[in-house]
Amino acid sequence: EVQLLESGGGLVQPGGYLRLSCAASGFTFSSYAMSWVRQAPGKGLEWVSTMSGSGSNTHYADSVEGRFTISRDNSKNTLYLQMNSLRAEDTAVYYCAKDLTSSWEGWFDPWGQGTLVTVSS
Amino acid sequence: SSELTQDPTVSVALGQTVRITCQGDSLRMYYASWYQQKPGQAPVLVIYGKNNRPSGIPDRFSGSSSGDTASLTITGAQAEDEADYYCNSRDSSSSQVIFGGGTKLTVL
């Protein structure tokens, strides 16, 4: 069974930083692109970033480009999101998600349970 | 980047058929996928590609696409189908992924 478990969320002040982790199991981690998707309280889903299975390609939403960095450790089956210069508008539940196929289609399945990031003074 | 547009709310009578639509230029190049999200839960993929259902998704869920519009159809809606539904696709103008704003489905 494929499982994704996020951790690292919490309360951080504006301008601060946080690193999220997503531990994966149940599939060949290095074969799949992995993504972060967030959801602000009461709002819709917003794609944040994707990294290819090998780690050679990364993509970011305009809203986080230059502030967030996605990475992965295929030896540890773990995906990361380093978030710097955090703003109030980054407050959201952050989900990690596996691409359904081994080619990056943007079809996310499954999703983790999410971790809440709150940016507030 | 491009946008995907969804109706904010849709309602359907129990047992009837409902179509939820998603419109955007990127859908001329890429297939949409559809996600169901119930309160307090993570999204679940229900339709992807031309019209494919992941294992465990009931066959009352189906998808279609024409031009710049993708549709999710629920044939014989059940009470448990009441949820928020989101479409997404690759962005044809960038190396990004875009989501629609979501549709809240009410089953009456």
Side-chain angles (χ1 to χ4, degrees):
Chain A
E1 178 191 6
V2 175
Q3 290 193 328
L4 302 172
L5 184 62
E6 302 95 335
S7 60
L11 174 64
V12 61
Q13 293 187 340
Y17 61 91
L18 213 55
R19 188 175 87 153
L20 306 183
S21 300
C22 172
S25 62
F27 64 102
T28 304
F29 185 67
S30 59
S31 294
Y32 294 87
M34 296 291 296
S35 300
W36 290 98
V37 179
R38 68 184 181 183
Q39 186 169 36
K43 302 297 185 182
L45 300 173
E46 180 188 15
W47 172 79
V48 173
S49 182
T50 294
M51 174 169 266
S52 61
S54 66
S56 58
N57 293 301
T58 58
H59 309 279
Y60 296 94
D62 293 345
S63 58
V64 307
E65 180 87 53
R67 300 187 299 122
F68 290 11
T69 302
I70 191 172
S71 63
R72 63 194 295 160
D73 185 337
N74 287 345
S75 69
K76 295 182 177 179
N77 290 352
T78 302
L79 178 74
Y80 303 100
L81 186 67
Q82 178 69 42
M83 305 185 295
N84 298 332
S85 302
L86 282 162
R87 307 166 179 166
E89 54 264 37
D90 296 317
T91 294
V93 173
Y94 285 73
Y95 297 100
C96 81
K98 168 187 168 292
D99 224 65
L100 179 66
T101 69
S102 56
S103 58
W104 180 35
E105 300 286 353
W107 304 333
F108 302 130
D109 181 66
W111 300 53
Q113 88 291 345
T115 187
L116 176 63
V117 172
T118 302
V119 183
S120 175
S121 55
Chain B
S1 59
S2 304
E3 294 184 346
L4 295 176
T5 301
Q6 298 181 240
D7 292 328
T9 60
V10 172
S11 60
V12 60
L14 184 67
Q16 297 303 300
T17 296
V18 62
R19 175 175 293 180
I20 299 170
T21 61
C22 173
Q23 184 177 22
D25 287 340
S26 292
L27 299 179
R28 297 184 183 278
M29 181 175 296
Y30 294 106
Y31 284 116
S33 55
W34 290 90
Y35 304 86
Q36 177 192 68
Q37 186 180 35
K38 297 181 179 179
Q41 297 183 17
V44 173
L45 178 69
V46 294
I47 291 290
Y48 65 95
K50 192 172 183 179
N51 180 19
N52 300 293
R53 281 176 290 106
S55 62
I57 301 302
D59 61 6
R60 64 179 179 270
F61 290 89
S62 63
S64 62
S65 183
S66 178
D68 68 349
T69 301
S71 300
L72 171 70
T73 299
I74 306 174
T75 303
Q78 302 300 302
E80 61 263 33
D81 299 334
E82 187 164 287
D84 293 327
Y85 290 85
Y86 296 91
C87 63
N88 87 326
S89 79
R90 293 276 302 275
D91 182 355
S92 59
S93 63
S94 72
S95 60
Q96 298 177 337
V97 172
I98 47 177
F99 279 93
T103 296
K104 182 177 182 59
L105 176 67
T106 300
V107 180
L108 304 172

Tab-separated table of all heavy atoms in Angstrom, chain B residues 2-36:
chain	number	residue	atom	x	y	z
B	2	SER	N	-1.952	29.940	-16.974
B	2	SER	CA	-3.343	29.762	-17.394
B	2	SER	C	-4.252	29.547	-16.191
B	2	SER	O	-3.786	29.446	-15.053
B	2	SER	CB	-3.438	28.567	-18.333
B	2	SER	OG	-2.570	28.714	-19.432
B	3	GLU	N	-5.547	29.502	-16.455
B	3	GLU	CA	-6.522	29.273	-15.389
B	3	GLU	C	-7.482	28.170	-15.789
B	3	GLU	O	-7.704	27.909	-16.973
B	3	GLU	CB	-7.318	30.552	-15.118
B	3	GLU	CG	-6.526	31.701	-14.547
B	3	GLU	CD	-7.388	32.903	-14.213
B	3	GLU	OE1	-8.551	32.941	-14.659
B	3	GLU	OE2	-6.896	33.807	-13.519
B	4	LEU	N	-8.053	27.533	-14.767
B	4	LEU	CA	-9.141	26.581	-14.955
B	4	LEU	C	-10.344	27.106	-14.181
B	4	LEU	O	-10.212	27.453	-13.002
B	4	LEU	CB	-8.758	25.184	-14.460
B	4	LEU	CG	-7.629	24.486	-15.209
B	4	LEU	CD1	-7.290	23.155	-14.555
B	4	LEU	CD2	-7.985	24.288	-16.671
B	5	THR	N	-11.497	27.169	-14.835
B	5	THR	CA	-12.685	27.761	-14.235
B	5	THR	C	-13.739	26.699	-13.940
B	5	THR	O	-14.102	25.914	-14.829
B	5	THR	CB	-13.272	28.824	-15.171
B	5	THR	OG1	-12.277	29.845	-15.409
B	5	THR	CG2	-14.507	29.472	-14.552
B	6	GLN	N	-14.225	26.689	-12.707
B	6	GLN	CA	-15.293	25.783	-12.286
B	6	GLN	C	-16.431	26.591	-11.679
B	6	GLN	O	-16.207	27.640	-11.072
B	6	GLN	CB	-14.800	24.794	-11.222
B	6	GLN	CG	-13.696	23.865	-11.666
B	6	GLN	CD	-13.312	22.905	-10.540
B	6	GLN	OE1	-12.171	22.892	-10.106
B	6	GLN	NE2	-14.259	22.105	-10.089
B	7	ASP	N	-17.650	26.084	-11.805
B	7	ASP	CA	-18.779	26.670	-11.103
B	7	ASP	C	-18.584	26.457	-9.604
B	7	ASP	O	-18.244	25.347	-9.179
B	7	ASP	CB	-20.091	26.031	-11.535
B	7	ASP	CG	-20.454	26.373	-12.970
B	7	ASP	OD1	-20.108	27.484	-13.411
B	7	ASP	OD2	-21.072	25.528	-13.640
B	8	PRO	N	-18.789	27.476	-8.768
B	8	PRO	CA	-18.534	27.316	-7.332
B	8	PRO	C	-19.448	26.317	-6.646
B	8	PRO	O	-19.016	25.609	-5.735
B	8	PRO	CB	-18.772	28.734	-6.781
B	8	PRO	CG	-18.559	29.630	-7.947
B	8	PRO	CD	-19.051	28.866	-9.134
B	9	THR	N	-20.710	26.280	-7.048
B	9	THR	CA	-21.651	25.372	-6.397
B	9	THR	C	-22.526	24.686	-7.437
B	9	THR	O	-22.892	25.285	-8.455
B	9	THR	CB	-22.560	26.118	-5.397
B	9	THR	OG1	-23.300	27.119	-6.103
B	9	THR	CG2	-21.751	26.793	-4.308
B	10	VAL	N	-22.836	23.433	-7.166
B	10	VAL	CA	-23.739	22.632	-7.990
B	10	VAL	C	-24.549	21.763	-7.045
B	10	VAL	O	-24.023	21.291	-6.026
B	10	VAL	CB	-22.960	21.760	-8.992
B	10	VAL	CG1	-23.891	20.780	-9.698
B	10	VAL	CG2	-22.234	22.622	-10.017
B	11	SER	N	-25.815	21.557	-7.365
B	11	SER	CA	-26.630	20.659	-6.547
B	11	SER	C	-27.292	19.617	-7.439
B	11	SER	O	-27.482	19.823	-8.639
B	11	SER	CB	-27.686	21.440	-5.768
B	11	SER	OG	-28.541	22.132	-6.654
B	12	VAL	N	-27.622	18.492	-6.818
B	12	VAL	CA	-28.248	17.385	-7.541
B	12	VAL	C	-29.178	16.644	-6.588
B	12	VAL	O	-28.869	16.501	-5.395
B	12	VAL	CB	-27.180	16.436	-8.127
B	12	VAL	CG1	-26.317	15.836	-7.021
B	12	VAL	CG2	-27.813	15.334	-8.967
B	13	ALA	N	-30.283	16.183	-7.100
B	13	ALA	CA	-31.185	15.367	-6.295
B	13	ALA	C	-30.619	13.964	-6.156
B	13	ALA	O	-29.953	13.453	-7.069
B	13	ALA	CB	-32.571	15.314	-6.924
B	14	LEU	N	-30.864	13.368	-5.044
B	14	LEU	CA	-30.383	12.010	-4.777
B	14	LEU	C	-30.802	11.071	-5.910
B	14	LEU	O	-31.977	11.023	-6.300
B	14	LEU	CB	-30.943	11.521	-3.446
B	14	LEU	CG	-30.474	10.156	-2.960
B	14	LEU	CD1	-28.986	10.193	-2.626
B	14	LEU	CD2	-31.292	9.701	-1.758
B	15	GLY	N	-29.835	10.341	-6.444
B	15	GLY	CA	-30.116	9.380	-7.495
B	15	GLY	C	-30.098	9.935	-8.906
B	15	GLY	O	-30.144	9.174	-9.875
B	16	GLN	N	-30.005	11.253	-9.026
B	16	GLN	CA	-29.973	11.866	-10.344
B	16	GLN	C	-28.544	12.030	-10.848
B	16	GLN	O	-27.581	11.714	-10.149
B	16	GLN	CB	-30.702	13.211	-10.314
B	16	GLN	CG	-32.182	13.094	-9.983
B	16	GLN	CD	-32.895	12.169	-10.957
B	16	GLN	OE1	-32.923	12.416	-12.169
B	16	GLN	NE2	-33.470	11.085	-10.434
B	17	THR	N	-28.428	12.506	-12.070
B	17	THR	CA	-27.132	12.673	-12.717
B	17	THR	C	-26.709	14.133	-12.675
B	17	THR	O	-27.537	15.034	-12.886
B	17	THR	CB	-27.197	12.185	-14.175
B	17	THR	OG1	-27.474	10.774	-14.179
B	17	THR	CG2	-25.900	12.449	-14.910
B	18	VAL	N	-25.435	14.355	-12.408
B	18	VAL	CA	-24.908	15.714	-12.340
B	18	VAL	C	-23.592	15.788	-13.115
B	18	VAL	O	-22.826	14.831	-13.139
B	18	VAL	CB	-24.699	16.156	-10.876
B	18	VAL	CG1	-23.693	15.278	-10.166
B	18	VAL	CG2	-24.296	17.625	-10.798
B	19	ARG	N	-23.404	16.925	-13.776
B	19	ARG	CA	-22.163	17.171	-14.503
B	19	ARG	C	-21.485	18.400	-13.911
B	19	ARG	O	-22.105	19.454	-13.763
B	19	ARG	CB	-22.429	17.381	-15.986
B	19	ARG	CG	-21.192	17.751	-16.788
B	19	ARG	CD	-21.495	17.835	-18.268
B	19	ARG	NE	-21.830	16.524	-18.833
B	19	ARG	CZ	-22.126	16.325	-20.100
B	19	ARG	NH1	-22.165	17.347	-20.943
B	19	ARG	NH2	-22.410	15.121	-20.539
B	20	ILE	N	-20.207	18.239	-13.606
B	20	ILE	CA	-19.384	19.336	-13.101
B	20	ILE	C	-18.364	19.658	-14.183
B	20	ILE	O	-17.688	18.760	-14.688
B	20	ILE	CB	-18.690	18.940	-11.785
B	20	ILE	CG1	-19.739	18.604	-10.715
B	20	ILE	CG2	-17.761	20.042	-11.312
B	20	ILE	CD1	-19.148	17.976	-9.459
B	21	THR	N	-18.252	20.934	-14.547
B	21	THR	CA	-17.383	21.291	-15.662
B	21	THR	C	-16.166	22.089	-15.212
B	21	THR	O	-16.154	22.714	-14.143
B	21	THR	CB	-18.141	22.089	-16.724
B	21	THR	OG1	-18.632	23.291	-16.141
B	21	THR	CG2	-19.291	21.270	-17.291
B	22	CYS	N	-15.160	22.067	-16.094
B	22	CYS	CA	-13.879	22.724	-15.857
B	22	CYS	C	-13.421	23.274	-17.200
B	22	CYS	O	-13.296	22.508	-18.164
B	22	CYS	CB	-12.910	21.698	-15.304
B	22	CYS	SG	-11.204	22.229	-15.113
B	23	GLN	N	-13.200	24.580	-17.270
B	23	GLN	CA	-12.893	25.203	-18.549
B	23	GLN	C	-11.560	25.926	-18.503
B	23	GLN	O	-11.267	26.661	-17.539
B	23	GLN	CB	-13.989	26.198	-18.930
B	23	GLN	CG	-13.814	26.829	-20.303
B	23	GLN	CD	-14.957	27.742	-20.675
B	23	GLN	OE1	-15.680	28.232	-19.814
B	23	GLN	NE2	-15.141	27.972	-21.968
B	24	GLY	N	-10.748	25.736	-19.557
B	24	GLY	CA	-9.479	26.434	-19.639
B	24	GLY	C	-8.716	26.048	-20.885
B	24	GLY	O	-8.863	24.937	-21.392
B	25	ASP	N	-7.895	26.963	-21.349
B	25	ASP	CA	-7.148	26.733	-22.586
B	25	ASP	C	-6.217	25.519	-22.492
B	25	ASP	O	-5.992	24.833	-23.493
B	25	ASP	CB	-6.332	27.972	-22.946
B	25	ASP	CG	-7.199	29.113	-23.470
B	25	ASP	OD1	-8.347	28.829	-23.906
B	25	ASP	OD2	-6.749	30.269	-23.429
B	26	SER	N	-5.679	25.262	-21.307
B	26	SER	CA	-4.743	24.144	-21.155
B	26	SER	C	-5.394	22.808	-21.461
B	26	SER	O	-4.701	21.838	-21.796
B	26	SER	CB	-4.156	24.120	-19.740
B	26	SER	OG	-3.307	25.220	-19.531
B	27	LEU	N	-6.724	22.751	-21.357
B	27	LEU	CA	-7.427	21.488	-21.580
B	27	LEU	C	-7.480	21.123	-23.058
B	27	LEU	O	-7.877	20.008	-23.403
B	27	LEU	CB	-8.837	21.573	-20.991
B	27	LEU	CG	-8.872	21.817	-19.484
B	27	LEU	CD1	-10.302	21.902	-18.988
B	27	LEU	CD2	-8.116	20.726	-18.740
B	28	ARG	N	-7.080	22.057	-23.911
B	28	ARG	CA	-6.968	21.726	-25.337
B	28	ARG	C	-5.728	20.864	-25.594
B	28	ARG	O	-5.642	20.173	-26.612
B	28	ARG	CB	-6.886	23.002	-26.182
B	28	ARG	CG	-8.127	23.873	-26.105
B	28	ARG	CD	-8.020	25.070	-27.050
B	28	ARG	NE	-9.181	25.950	-26.936
B	28	ARG	CZ	-10.345	25.727	-27.551
B	28	ARG	NH1	-10.497	24.661	-28.322
B	28	ARG	NH2	-11.338	26.584	-27.394
B	29	MET	N	-4.776	20.912	-24.671
B	29	MET	CA	-3.523	20.174	-24.835
B	29	MET	C	-3.395	19.019	-23.849
B	29	MET	O	-2.796	17.992	-24.178
B	29	MET	CB	-2.344	21.130	-24.674
B	29	MET	CG	-0.979	20.489	-24.839
B	29	MET	SD	0.353	21.680	-24.786
B	29	MET	CE	0.011	22.660	-26.230
B	30	TYR	N	-3.900	19.212	-22.652
B	30	TYR	CA	-3.731	18.208	-21.596
B	30	TYR	C	-5.087	17.729	-21.072
B	30	TYR	O	-6.042	18.491	-20.977
B	30	TYR	CB	-2.953	18.801	-20.418
B	30	TYR	CG	-1.526	19.160	-20.734
B	30	TYR	CD1	-1.141	20.481	-20.874
B	30	TYR	CD2	-0.562	18.167	-20.888
B	30	TYR	CE1	0.163	20.820	-21.163
B	30	TYR	CE2	0.757	18.502	-21.173
B	30	TYR	CZ	1.100	19.823	-21.308
B	30	TYR	OH	2.395	20.158	-21.603
B	31	TYR	N	-5.120	16.450	-20.705
B	31	TYR	CA	-6.300	15.930	-20.030
B	31	TYR	C	-6.354	16.458	-18.598
B	31	TYR	O	-5.326	16.653	-17.953
B	31	TYR	CB	-6.267	14.402	-19.987
B	31	TYR	CG	-6.604	13.744	-21.293
B	31	TYR	CD1	-5.656	12.970	-21.971
B	31	TYR	CD2	-7.875	13.878	-21.865
B	31	TYR	CE1	-5.960	12.348	-23.174
B	31	TYR	CE2	-8.180	13.258	-23.074
B	31	TYR	CZ	-7.226	12.508	-23.715
B	31	TYR	OH	-7.531	11.890	-24.904
B	32	ALA	N	-7.562	16.653	-18.122
B	32	ALA	CA	-7.760	17.021	-16.726
B	32	ALA	C	-7.753	15.790	-15.849
B	32	ALA	O	-7.955	14.661	-16.318
B	32	ALA	CB	-9.095	17.746	-16.555
B	33	SER	N	-7.518	15.994	-14.569
B	33	SER	CA	-7.840	14.987	-13.574
B	33	SER	C	-8.776	15.639	-12.564
B	33	SER	O	-8.843	16.867	-12.461
B	33	SER	CB	-6.583	14.421	-12.892
B	33	SER	OG	-5.787	15.434	-12.334
B	34	TRP	N	-9.516	14.805	-11.860
B	34	TRP	CA	-10.543	15.277	-10.939
B	34	TRP	C	-10.314	14.682	-9.549
B	34	TRP	O	-9.974	13.504	-9.418
B	34	TRP	CB	-11.929	14.867	-11.430
B	34	TRP	CG	-12.381	15.586	-12.668
B	34	TRP	CD1	-12.183	15.190	-13.963
B	34	TRP	CD2	-13.097	16.814	-12.724
B	34	TRP	NE1	-12.734	16.106	-14.823
B	34	TRP	CE2	-13.309	17.113	-14.086
B	34	TRP	CE3	-13.591	17.698	-11.765
B	34	TRP	CZ2	-13.998	18.252	-14.517
B	34	TRP	CZ3	-14.274	18.834	-12.180
B	34	TRP	CH2	-14.465	19.108	-13.542
B	35	TYR	N	-10.558	15.513	-8.536
B	35	TYR	CA	-10.337	15.121	-7.151
B	35	TYR	C	-11.596	15.412	-6.341
B	35	TYR	O	-12.238	16.449	-6.520
B	35	TYR	CB	-9.147	15.881	-6.552
B	35	TYR	CG	-7.900	15.686	-7.368
B	35	TYR	CD1	-7.641	16.494	-8.467
B	35	TYR	CD2	-7.016	14.648	-7.093
B	35	TYR	CE1	-6.538	16.285	-9.258
B	35	TYR	CE2	-5.896	14.434	-7.877
B	35	TYR	CZ	-5.668	15.258	-8.965
B	35	TYR	OH	-4.569	15.039	-9.747
B	36	GLN	N	-11.882	14.486	-5.436
B	36	GLN	CA	-12.972	14.662	-4.486
B	36	GLN	C	-12.359	14.949	-3.127
B	36	GLN	O	-11.441	14.249	-2.694
B	36	GLN	CB	-13.799	13.368	-4.404
B	36	GLN	CG	-14.923	13.406	-3.389
B	36	GLN	CD	-15.493	12.005	-3.158
B	36	GLN	OE1	-14.851	11.124	-2.600
B	36	GLN	NE2	-16.737	11.799	-3.613
